[in-house]
Amino acid sequence: MARWRPDIAEREATPEALYLRRREFLALGAAGAVGLLLPRGARAGEPTGAALQVARKVDQAGGESPTPWDSVTGYNNFYELGTSKEDPSRNAGSLRPRPWTVTIAGEVKKPQTLDVDALARMFPLEERVYRMRCVEAWSMVIPWVGFPLADLVRRLEPTSRAKYVAFQTLLDRDQLPGQRRPVLPWPYVEALRIDEATHPLTLLAVGLYGRALPGQNGAPLRLVVPWKYGFKGAKSIVRITFLADRPHTTWNDAAPDEYGFYANVNPDVDHPRWSQARERRIGEFFRRKTLPFNGYAAEVASLYAGLDLRKNY
Ligand SMILES: Nc1nc2c(c(=O)[nH]1)N[C@H]1C(S)=C(S)[C@@H](COP(=O)(O)O)O[C@H]1N2
Ligand SMILES: [Mo]
């Protein structure tokens, strides 16, 4: 299979710059033109979708304002729904997030298949505002709704052999038509070490902005790991597997020199084709400095004590 290099086209065509101009237009209040400029399915305005009961709200983005709803839900990476930033919101209608089950398998004392709503009712939902950083050097601040993955892992009782946790996206060419093309080896799989998976910052998200997740953001259930590049956060998860050995993961298989297994945000380790030292916060004009571990070093750096982060990128 040909190794696809999406980032070259993405970055040279600078859809990001186009998008920013669109944002400036919005800021100027060019209301009449907005409908024409926004991608179909990404209307300007208020959050939509089923409201969620949130037990508590935690700001873990240093008081920064969340990125507007229409950017969070209109500028996405979800290659199963198309490879441009505006495809996922346009194409998400084919994804049917209910009914939905999640299978828990592998090195765990309580393997089971759970309905996603039953799963979400097992734990109080929290709003967590996180900074999120894509490997393509753009970032957002997103008010996720979810629960710590650690709470679920504790309930499932992994065996002492469990050292990794893998997350698999739905495989279904009708719901995710991008899977008809060999853009990546499907299904999309990402994984964490078990200590990363059970870190209190690691979330299973079911919503954002107080509403059920839109399809383009990974409905009905997706992983959120704020100190890692966005590609670690698998969307539309159907299977969580506990493993003794490190599994293959989609982007690491596709281009191991570009996408490491760890994928911790690191301004000192460049992508082979661009610097990771700075990033563009969507909605802002000037680039800002990228922080080690995306600004969460105080919380997570100790997980990597003794690991050479240049080799283990
Ligand atoms: N199944 C699946 N999950 C995925 C992706 C994808 O293409 N397919 N893209 C990843 C990348 S590169 C990023 S940056 C984030 C984007 O999440 P967001 O669109 O909700 O901001 O999703 C990640 N999860
Ligand atoms: Mo990304």
Side-chain angles (χ1 to χ4, degrees):
M1 189 186 80
R3 188 172 280 175
W4 199 64
R5 302 281 177 150
D7 319 84
I8 299 174
E10 292 292 351
R11 291 180 62 82
E12 284 172 3
T14 56
E16 173 196 309
L18 281 172
Y19 192 79
L20 291 168
R21 255 176 267 140
R22 203 176 276 138
R23 297 287 327 154
E24 282 160 27
F25 224 155
L26 284 175
L28 290 169
V34 164
L36 297 172
L37 289 163
L38 280 172
R40 261 183 296 143
R43 283 170 292 279
E46 293 302 306
T48 57
L52 300 171
Q53 288 271 343
V54 172
R56 67 174 189 139
K57 299 190 178 195
V58 190
D59 169 39
Q60 283 165 309
E64 276 192 64
S65 306
T67 303
W69 163 266
D70 46 307
S71 300
V72 175
T73 61
Y75 188 87
N76 302 98
N77 274 338
F78 195 169
Y79 283 177
E80 293 93 325
L81 291 172
T83 51
S84 87
K85 296 289 177 278
E86 290 156 10
D87 285 341
S89 60
R90 197 160 41 214
N91 299 331
S94 59
L95 178 63
R96 297 188 304 273
R98 298 290 185 295
W100 189 280
T101 58
V102 182
T103 296
I104 315 279
E107 290 291 342
V108 65
K109 289 180 193 144
K110 297 179 178 168
Q112 56 195 288
T113 295
L114 283 162
D115 175 76
V116 72
D117 294 314
L119 174 61
R121 280 193 300 268
M122 286 166 65
F123 311 100
L125 297 181
E126 299 176 11
E127 178 177 276
R128 303 270 198 107
V129 187
Y130 285 162
R131 292 178 292 266
M132 304 298 296
R133 171 65 154 78
C134 178
V135 79
E136 293 162 358
W138 50 268
S139 61
M140 297 193 190
V141 177
I142 303 185
W144 298 109
V145 176
F147 54 87
L149 176 59
D151 292 352
L152 175 63
V153 171
R154 206 173 296 121
R155 203 67 93 82
L156 298 169
E157 298 180 41
T159 71
S160 61
R161 288 169 45 83
K163 298 286 181 298
Y164 293 89
V165 189
F167 305 86
Q168 186 182 311
T169 296
L170 174 70
L171 183 63
D172 182 325
R173 293 169 156 221
D174 296 323
Q175 294 194 58
L176 297 173
Q179 291 175 341
R180 289 166 202 239
R181 294 195 301 144
V183 172
L184 286 170
W186 311 118
Y188 195 102
V189 176
E190 265 308 332
L192 300 172
R193 262 181 7 201
I194 197 153
D195 59 334
E196 299 176 317
T198 54
H199 188 280
L201 284 172
T202 304
L203 288 190
L204 278 180
V206 297
L208 54 81
Y209 269 101
R211 308 291 183 131
L213 277 179
Q216 59 268 35
N217 294 92
L221 183 76
R222 60 89 58 82
L223 181 66
V224 173
V225 195
W227 71 94
K228 293 181 181 277
Y229 292 117
F231 73 85
K232 295 299 285 185
K235 294 180 168 180
S236 305
I237 294 169
V238 293
R239 191 179 177 87
I240 300 176
T241 313
F242 292 79
L243 298 158
D245 299 309
R246 194 174 108 179
H248 283 270
T249 50
T250 296
W251 279 106
N252 189 238
D253 281 357
D257 50 329
E258 302 185 21
Y259 308 101
F261 174 81
Y262 282 94
N264 291 321
V265 174
N266 190 342
D268 299 329
V269 175
D270 289 338
H271 184 281
R273 289 178 282 122
W274 61 82
S275 165
Q276 293 290 24
R278 304 181 80 77
E279 69 198 59
R280 172 133 34 225
R281 186 79 97 234
I282 295 298
E284 292 180 357
F285 186 76
F286 292 105
R287 286 176 192 269
R288 47 165 85 199
K289 273 192 168 163
T290 288
L291 300 173
F293 299 105
N294 201 28
Y296 297 101
E299 292 93 331
V300 302
S302 63
L303 295 178
Y304 309 102
L307 200 68
D308 181 345
L309 295 172
R310 291 193 160 271
K311 289 199 185 114
N312 298 283
Y313 54 84

